[in-house]
Amino acid sequence: MSNFDIIIFVEDTNMKIIVTNNYEEASLEAFKVMKEIVANKPNAVLGLATGSTPLGLYKNMIEDHKTNGTSYKDITTFNLDEYVGLDRNHRESYYTFMHTNLFSGLDILEENVHLPFGNTQADCDAYEKAMEDYQVDVQLLGIGGNGHIGFNEPGTPFEKTTNIVELQERTRTDNARFFDNDINQVPTHAITMGIATIMKANKVLLVATGENKADAVKAMIEGVPSVDCPASALQNHKDVVVILDTAAASKLTK
Ligand code: PGA
């Protein structure tokens, strides 16, 4: 950690906030948390996320695997979410994303990799059931500009488990950059772990960078927990590490 990082412990919560200077530093801090877990527990269960945010962390994990031989052969993973209506092999499916940006660079076994898939309640129940035999050691999260975690959009009750959701316009606009900047190509629905599913993890590691996240970060950390900001549910989790850059932290006042 550089000398310029700030660490804040948020009153009345188990949230530890680390403010770094930029995306690269945030990714490195996230990697340190992940590495400690994987190094101490070779059969750890990792909850993983997609989006732009984890790419730096994933690069660090692959680099560490190649350089230091950190092995993932006994690691199990469960991803947060997946679009509904995209083939798994679609270039923008989260299945493709995870294989391209992480799994192909590690020695992880395909049979230990899990992503939700489908568009029915039965598909959601099957994913919850698959997770029942495991305890997630760390759940990695990004945060949406609207405060979503996974695809749990504002208004989602905190009690929800894996469910099918309709994506809000803000989320689809934010993600249009992956679909030729054409919102019409962005799926309208997704299957996602619910907030209650996410809360079961032993530890939560949330990374947010950039000014687009500043309002959501403030609501998550300083707001009264409310469905208006799904990430604010994390104030009630027993062990949360939030890693920010200065832009994402810029609206914090306390
Ligand atoms: P991003 O998405 O990492 O692409 O910003 C985060 C999220 O929407 O959860």
Side-chain angles (χ1 to χ4, degrees), residues 77-115:
T77 66
F78 286 92
N79 261 78
L80 278 173
D81 47 18
E82 178 61 281
Y83 289 118
V84 165
L86 288 191
D87 189 83
R88 276 201 147 164
N89 294 315
H90 187 283
R91 70 182 160 89
E92 291 303 336
S93 78
Y94 288 166
Y95 180 90
T96 299
F97 177 101
M98 289 308 300
H99 284 80
T100 305
N101 293 302
L102 183 64
F103 300 147
S104 62
L106 303 176
D107 60 345
I108 195 159
L109 303 181
E110 184 62 29
E111 70 237 42
N112 293 340
V113 161
H114 305 83
L115 287 100

Side-chain angles (χ1 to χ4, degrees), residues 50-54 142-144 148 150 177-178 213:
T50 52
S52 309
T53 308
I143 183 171
H148 74 205
R177 66 193 194 278
F178 301 115
K213 303 294 172 66

